[in-house]
């Protein structure tokens, strides 16, 4: 019975003392055990002894099964003493608490009223040898994308200044919080990047940057075995116990779970705001990097990283080559149209739009293919090159799509799901942002508006504390208010022309609690 359960046979039953004791009595009857011998001489028929035997035997079988299974799922690069940057583990986790929009300052339109936001996704990178958190990224939606993974890799390889904590009661430990904030520490190239089997990790952009640029090995591991990435899972456990699980849970294990947020509190706005949660998460991970570990001989992860960086061989590169490592930068070969047509300007088709530039006029008539280089976060401009590497200058998209920086994902979403808006609007990006602002009654809609706003203001991958702030000077504030009202008026005119009704202003009737 126990072996069938361990092997997950279809006929296996759950091992319980009652079932195990029934099987024991059946074996005694099959063996023709005398009725005047033990265990028939006892009233319980040795029930307690059978229960203890079940417990000990089940633990023994489980340990043997795990030991045998670990021999086949161990990491191929598992060393007795791993070195610095030998293995970097990356994973995502859904944060089990909700925040509000209180205190978020916007430069496009008025600030949001206090609204409930949904659960977000946390992405982090951990060095296996030192257990040091290299970087983290908070995604303003439930599911991360390949661009979010690229943003995390970009943070690991880019020097960043120390952040100022504005939340009362929070204080950073002395010293740099992360390795990329210490100029004395090298930015080593990882030899292996361990990921799980999520589809975003199998994206071509992620695999191409890790293997072609970083020259690292991408390891996906065996499915449904999170223990292969024990360092990142342990780090998430520290975040849960130190921060996220201290707040009321959004779901709980059942409808009567004490950790679940009550129906009364769900009708209002969460106490903690998004800005405060980002500061608390930043301080939690920084304290984790400065906390001594017993398996590191009492040293902190940052001390261990600094010690190994001074005494081990690392694959290091200069600043110029590291500056060229932009994970969002991609190259594609496309066709040039109307190159030999008289009276027409040549153009290229890229992501549903035509790009034109004076450099295409210098292209010989026998060449109809060019190389373009673009940034996934901002596709308003393309850098064109001939196949031999000669630069042809910059290609620009139509003027109606140049109001804000936008990514490939946003443009694809607009052309695939908002075709009517794209056809009728003279400024699709502005009207799309205004439409998202209208529909913020649900927490998911509010998060979609914030993520789109973050992209349009050029703050992709940055926390809310580093977003562009409104001007503080009175004259600048007056000019900004005039420009904002003009843009809002233009957006209203576009809306009246396309949809036939003006936009509504913000009011507290939007149900800040967010109806489910």
């Amino acid at each position: 019975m126990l072996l069938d359960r361990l092997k997950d046979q279809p006929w296996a039953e759950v091992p319980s003392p009652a079932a195990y004791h029934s099987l024991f009595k059946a074996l005694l009857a099959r063996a023709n055990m005398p009725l005047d011998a033990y265990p028939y001489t006892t009233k319980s028929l040795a029930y307690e002894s059978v229960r203890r035997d079940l417990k000990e035997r089940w633990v023994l079988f489980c340990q043997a099964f795990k030991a045998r299974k670990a021999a086949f799922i161990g990491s191929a690069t598992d060393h007795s003493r791993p070195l610095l940057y030998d293995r970097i583990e990356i994973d995502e986790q859904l944060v089990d608490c909700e925040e509000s929009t209180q205190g978020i300052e916007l430069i496009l339109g008025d600030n949001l009223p206090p609204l409930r936001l949904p659960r977000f996704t946390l992405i982090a990178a951990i060095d296996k040898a030192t257990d040091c958190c290299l970087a983290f990224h908070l995604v303003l939606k439930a599911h991360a994308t390949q661009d979010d993974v690229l943003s995390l890799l970009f943070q690991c390889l880019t020097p960043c200044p120390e952040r100022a904590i504005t939340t009362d009661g929070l204080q950073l430990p002395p010293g740099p919080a992360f390795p990329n904030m210490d100029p004395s520490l090298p930015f080593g190239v990882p030899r292996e990047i361990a990921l799980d089997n999520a589809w975003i990790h199998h994206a071509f952009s992620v695999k191409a940057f890790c293997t072609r640029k970083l020259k690292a090995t991408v390891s996906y591991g065996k499915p449904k075995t999170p223990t292969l990435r024990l360092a990142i899972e342990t780090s998430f456990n520290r975040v849960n116990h130190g921060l996220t699980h201290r707040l009321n849970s959004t779901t709980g294990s059942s409808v009567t779970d004490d950790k679940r947020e009550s129906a009364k509190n769900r009708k209002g706005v969460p106490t903690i705001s998004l800005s405060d949660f980002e500061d608390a998460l930043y301080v939690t991970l920084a304290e984790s990097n400065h906390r001594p570990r017993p398996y590191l001989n009492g040293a902190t992860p940052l001390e261990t990283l600094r010690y190994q960086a001074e005494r081990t061989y690392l694959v290091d590169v200069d600043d110029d080559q590291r500056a060229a490592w932009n994970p969002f930068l991609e190259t594609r070969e496309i066709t040039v149209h109307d190159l030999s047509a008289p009276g027409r300007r040549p153009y290229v088709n890229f992501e549903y739009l035509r790009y034109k530039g004076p450099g295409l006029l210098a292209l010989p008539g026998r060449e109809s293919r060019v190389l373009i280089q673009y940034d996934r976060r901002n596709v308003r401009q393309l850098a064109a090159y001939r196949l031999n590497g000669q630069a042809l200058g910059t290609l620009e998209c139509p003027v109606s799509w140049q109001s804000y920086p936008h990514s490939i994902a946003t443009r694809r979403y607009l052309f695939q799901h908002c075709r009517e808006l794209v056809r009728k609007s003279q400024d699709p990006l502005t009207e799309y942002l205004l439409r998202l602002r209208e529909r913020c009654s649900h927490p998911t809609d509010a998060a979609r508006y914030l993520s789109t706003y973050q992209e349009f203001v050029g703050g992709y991958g940055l926390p809310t504390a580093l977003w562009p702030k409104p001007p503080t000077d009175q004259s600048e504030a007056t000019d900004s208010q005039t420009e904002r009202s003009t843009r809002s008026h233009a957006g209203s005119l576009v809306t009246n022309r396309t949809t036939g009704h003006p936009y509504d202003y913000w009011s507290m009737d939007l149900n800040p609690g967010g109806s489910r």
Side-chain angles (χ1 to χ4, degrees), residues 337-378:
H337 301 275
D338 289 347
L339 186 60
S340 58
R344 301 193 63 176
R345 297 177 58 186
Y347 65 91
V348 296
N349 286 325
F350 178 77
E351 297 297 337
Y352 302 98
L353 294 179
R354 292 184 177 183
Y355 286 75
K356 300 179 181 180
L360 295 179
L361 298 175
L363 192 67
R366 63 180 181 275
E367 296 184 14
S368 61
R369 306 281 292 181
V370 294
L371 293 175
I372 60 170
Q373 195 175 51
Y374 59 93
D375 193 321
R376 295 181 57 90
R377 299 167 296 181
N378 185 9

Side-chain angles (χ1 to χ4, degrees), residues 286-404:
E287 289 181 348
S288 177
N289 286 341
H290 286 81
R291 186 175 303 167
R293 300 282 194 271
Y295 47 85
L296 297 178
N297 297 327
T300 65
L302 280 176
E303 292 175 351
T304 307
L305 190 145
R306 186 176 294 105
Y307 178 84
Q308 292 198 14
E310 296 173 354
R311 292 168 174 80
T312 58
Y313 292 99
L314 296 176
V315 181
D316 197 8
V317 295
D318 55 7
D319 296 337
D320 295 336
Q321 184 175 356
R322 189 182 299 109
W325 283 354
N326 187 356
F328 297 98
L329 204 61
E330 295 185 0
T331 305
R332 188 184 302 181
E333 181 179 346
I334 57 178
T335 304
V336 182
H337 301 275
D338 289 347
L339 186 60
S340 58
R344 301 193 63 176
R345 297 177 58 186
Y347 65 91
V348 296
N349 286 325
F350 178 77
E351 297 297 337
Y352 302 98
L353 294 179
R354 292 184 177 183
Y355 286 75
K356 300 179 181 180
L360 295 179
L361 298 175
L363 192 67
R366 63 180 181 275
E367 296 184 14
S368 61
R369 306 281 292 181
V370 294
L371 293 175
I372 60 170
Q373 195 175 51
Y374 59 93
D375 193 321
R376 295 181 57 90
R377 299 167 296 181
N378 185 9
V379 290
R380 292 183 296 179
Q381 294 182 348
L382 309 176
Y385 301 89
R386 294 179 59 182
L387 298 183
N388 59 4
Q390 180 183 355
L392 298 176
T394 303
L395 308 181
E396 295 184 352
C397 65
V399 181
S400 59
W401 288 86
Q402 295 185 9
S403 55
Y404 300 110

Side-chain angles (χ1 to χ4, degrees), residues 94-109:
L94 193 63
V95 178
D96 195 20
C97 60
E98 293 183 350
E99 296 80 29
S100 67
T101 60
Q102 187 173 3
I104 300 179
E105 299 180 357
L106 306 179
I107 61 175
L108 301 179

Side-chain angles (χ1 to χ4, degrees), residues 161-333:
E162 295 187 12
R163 283 177 49 186
I165 302 300
T166 59
T167 304
D168 297 336
L170 296 179
Q171 185 178 2
L172 285 171
F178 297 92
N180 57 357
M181 298 180 181
D182 191 351
S184 62
L185 293 177
F187 289 90
V189 180
R191 297 178 178 86
E192 179 186 3
I193 299 178
L195 305 168
D196 60 6
N197 285 273
W199 283 115
I200 58 175
H201 298 156
H202 289 273
F204 176 78
S205 59
V206 176
K207 294 190 294 185
F209 178 74
C210 295
T211 56
R212 298 180 182 179
K213 295 293 185 179
L214 301 182
K215 308 298 181 182
T217 301
V218 180
S219 174
Y220 293 102
K222 187 177 180 180
K224 300 181 181 180
T225 53
T227 54
L228 285 178
R229 299 173 302 278
L230 186 60
I232 186 64
E233 297 295 342
T234 305
S235 179
F236 284 151
N237 188 42
R238 297 193 193 102
V239 173
N240 293 336
H241 286 282
L243 177 61
T244 57
H245 286 181
R246 297 175 62 182
L247 305 174
N248 289 329
S249 174
T250 56
T251 56
S253 58
S254 65
V255 294
T256 58
D257 193 351
D258 295 337
K259 298 180 181 179
R260 181 183 175 92
E261 188 177 12
S262 63
K264 176 179 70 67
N265 292 335
R266 287 196 62 82
K267 295 180 181 179
V269 180
T271 305
I272 184 172
S273 63
L274 176 60
S275 303
D276 295 342
F277 180 80
E278 289 176 341
D279 289 345
L281 181 62
Y282 184 83
V283 172
T284 301
L285 293 175
E287 289 181 348
S288 177
N289 286 341
H290 286 81
R291 186 175 303 167
R293 300 282 194 271
Y295 47 85
L296 297 178
N297 297 327
T300 65
L302 280 176
E303 292 175 351
T304 307
L305 190 145
R306 186 176 294 105
Y307 178 84
Q308 292 198 14
E310 296 173 354
R311 292 168 174 80
T312 58
Y313 292 99
L314 296 176
V315 181
D316 197 8
V317 295
D318 55 7
D319 296 337
D320 295 336
Q321 184 175 356
R322 189 182 299 109
W325 283 354
N326 187 356
F328 297 98
L329 204 61
E330 295 185 0
T331 305
R332 188 184 302 181
E333 181 179 346

